Amino acid sequence: MSEWFVGTLRNYPELAIFLSLAIGFSIGSRKIAGFSLGNVTATLLAAVVIGQLGITISPNVKSAFFILFIFAIGYGVGPQFMSGLTKEGPKQIGFSLVVLALCLIVPILCARIAGLDLGYTAGLYAGSQTISASIGVASDQISRLGLSPEQVKTYNDQIPIGYAVTYIFGTIGSAIILAQLGPKLIGVDLAKACKDYEAQMGGGDGLEAGLTSAYRQIELRAYRVGNDPSIVGQPVKQIWPGLRVFVERLRRGGAIIDADASTVLAPGDIVAISGRREHIVETITPMLEEVQDRELLDVPAEAIDIFVTNRKVGGLTLLELSETDWARGVYLRKITRNMVEIPALPGTQILRGDILTLVGGRRHMELAIQHLGYADRPVEATDIAFLGAGIVLGGFVGALSYTIGGIPISLSTSGGALLAGLVLGWLRTIRPVFGRIPGPALWLMNTLGLNVFIAVVGITAGPGFVAGLKAVGLSLFLWGAIATAVPMILSVYIGFYVFKFHPAILFGACAGARTTTAALGMIQEAAKSKIPALGYGMPYAIGNTVLTIYGMVIVLLNS
């Protein structure tokens, strides 16, 4: 039975890849003492074990899935990377670049002091900085150094060893430093800082939250208008100033009429009013007689994800948007930026590329879509022609090579695909009628592309993995811990004392620059708030790109 099993995996290596995924994803999400290996590391370790069986896989499989993954990364962060500047954008960019410089310099110094070979150095960098994408870029550059096939294989087999040994502390250590140690280093109470920042942004109990009213339960109720002079005889927009409650439509003389801001109410009208439940209950109900009118309340409504593309909207706060005419009757449920939900507060700025989940009457929603961007309605189809052409175009650009000092240098096909993804993802914010890649499809490209690549790396390196781990394991782990901790600790001090970030968003910015979403989750848990995510978006977009390219830089500086 065992011989048949091993023989089948050797004859059909594609099964070994999917077996690695099945095992990796089964154990990767399991938490022990609040921590987990993560799917990528678990898949790598599973693949290494399976690789002990001596399975041969074409390197083209690894390259194909990695280039799919790297294009998806670029496409996902492109809108924020290319044009997502908030009022603090330049400061966040400057901070990110300083932190990213530390993320390159410190691992290089650690590797040189430890006397590590090139492959271990690239692996230590990838694991300690938790940037799996750099593995593929580093491997591509190593193959272009003009080394013998044997030496190329040796270095490429060292990379996953260095990555596996250093990645666990890279993830867990970063989370602990930013969520637990970081606030103590600068003497702040993170939970209190987030509450204070939320108050500055217009949040908190008892304050009008503009469009953030949609973050709470929305009511639509019917009322009979009496003879109250404060209600009849004037436009509805003047009746309840400061409250986001709207007369959606009214029944007058048996006819149902759609209302707008200029509609004037008359005694005997039956009106359908929408708004936050507390406003309806505390303000409207005491003033008007509530009645049952099912036909009047049967207002066509929908909830839609809207992809923000209008440059006039980018940089405006939710409060500013809530005061526009087209925001009438429209409520916000959530904001998603770089696949992370961010707090919806009156002072939250909207960027091109954000996804706003809105709910409201159909006629109001259509008007909001015209002013915001593109209705990202659920679809199953992906623009495969766009996907294929984008990867090919980027690959051709990346394949261009320049020789400097006898060393050929290029972006590589994967680096070119990343660049293409960035540009095309940004272009879609300008003209969203092309390049449709639904969120679930983008997630699959990202997750499957990376993990198939990692599985092939692990299976290929499997035979030499154990011996390499015995040779450099403990030393590599310790140097990896230093390479992780030093940039993160310094980033806290630099962000707080040099760039003057508010503590509420400082740790989110640190996590974003290092692209460690796991750390962001732990920071938010420690803060008891989603506020830290407001500092995550821009640094994440920059970090994901620069840290990946550093995979090539690491090889060039150590070859």
Side-chain angles (χ1 to χ4, degrees), residues 251-403:
R251 181 188 294 277
R252 178 177 295 166
I256 293 179
I257 305 169
D258 287 332
D260 57 28
S262 61
T263 298
V264 176
L265 301 183
D269 287 345
I270 306 295
V271 295
I273 301 178
S274 69
R276 283 169 55 170
R277 185 176 187 278
E278 57 266 38
H279 291 164
I280 296 291
V281 172
E282 296 172 4
T283 302
I284 307 302
T285 300
M287 298 179 67
L288 299 172
E289 176 192 358
E290 186 171 6
V291 298
Q292 172 63 21
D293 191 326
R294 180 169 181 174
E295 183 183 10
L296 180 67
L297 295 175
D298 191 15
V299 178
E302 57 184 340
I304 301 176
D305 288 340
I306 299 180
F307 187 73
V308 178
T309 62
N310 189 345
R311 67 172 63 251
K312 295 181 180 179
V313 171
L316 296 181
T317 66
L318 290 180
L319 182 59
E320 290 170 332
L321 292 177
S322 72
E323 294 170 348
T324 61
D325 291 339
W326 52 262
R328 185 180 189 277
V330 174
Y331 304 93
L332 177 66
R333 283 185 174 174
K334 68 176 181 178
I335 308 169
T336 305
R337 181 176 297 163
N338 291 329
M339 294 183 285
V340 173
E341 183 179 345
I342 66 171
L345 300 171
T348 300
Q349 287 181 299
I350 298 302
L351 306 180
R352 295 173 71 191
D354 285 349
I355 297 177
L356 308 183
T357 302
L358 301 182
V359 62
R362 183 172 297 170
R363 64 191 179 97
H364 299 314
M365 292 293 290
E366 291 302 322
L367 187 60
I369 291 170
Q370 292 175 23
H371 286 83
L372 286 171
Y374 182 75
D376 202 23
R377 290 186 170 91
V379 297
E380 297 181 358
T382 294
D383 191 342
I384 298 296
F386 166 84
L387 172 64
I391 290 176
V392 170
L393 179 62
F396 274 118
V397 172
L400 297 174
S401 180
Y402 303 92
T403 301

Side-chain angles (χ1 to χ4, degrees), residues 17 28 39 90 173 186 201 215 250 325 332 389 400 420 422 466 499 546:
I17 295 174
N39 294 328
I186 57 175
M201 295 281 284
Y215 193 69
L250 58 92
D325 291 339
L332 177 66
L400 297 174
L422 286 169
V466 176
F499 287 88
V546 176

Side-chain angles (χ1 to χ4, degrees), residues 18 29 184 451 481:
F18 286 103
S29 58
K184 294 182 175 64
N451 284 280

Side-chain angles (χ1 to χ4, degrees), residues 57-86:
I57 301 176
S58 169
N60 293 333
V61 175
K62 177 179 69 174
S63 299
F65 277 91
F66 183 74
I67 204 170
L68 182 69
F69 157 72
I70 207 71
F71 179 85
I73 286 289
Y75 181 90
V77 304
Q80 274 72 47
F81 184 85
M82 302 294 287
S83 63
L85 294 178
T86 65

Side-chain angles (χ1 to χ4, degrees), residues 30 41 61 68 92 101-102 104 142 257 314 318 364 380-381 460 525:
R30 297 181 182 275
T41 303
V61 175
L68 182 69
Q92 290 186 0
L102 292 172
L104 174 66
I142 287 173
I257 305 169
L318 290 180
H364 299 314
E380 297 181 358
T460 303
E525 184 177 337

Side-chain angles (χ1 to χ4, degrees), residues 163 256 496:
Y163 174 84
I256 293 179
F496 187 68

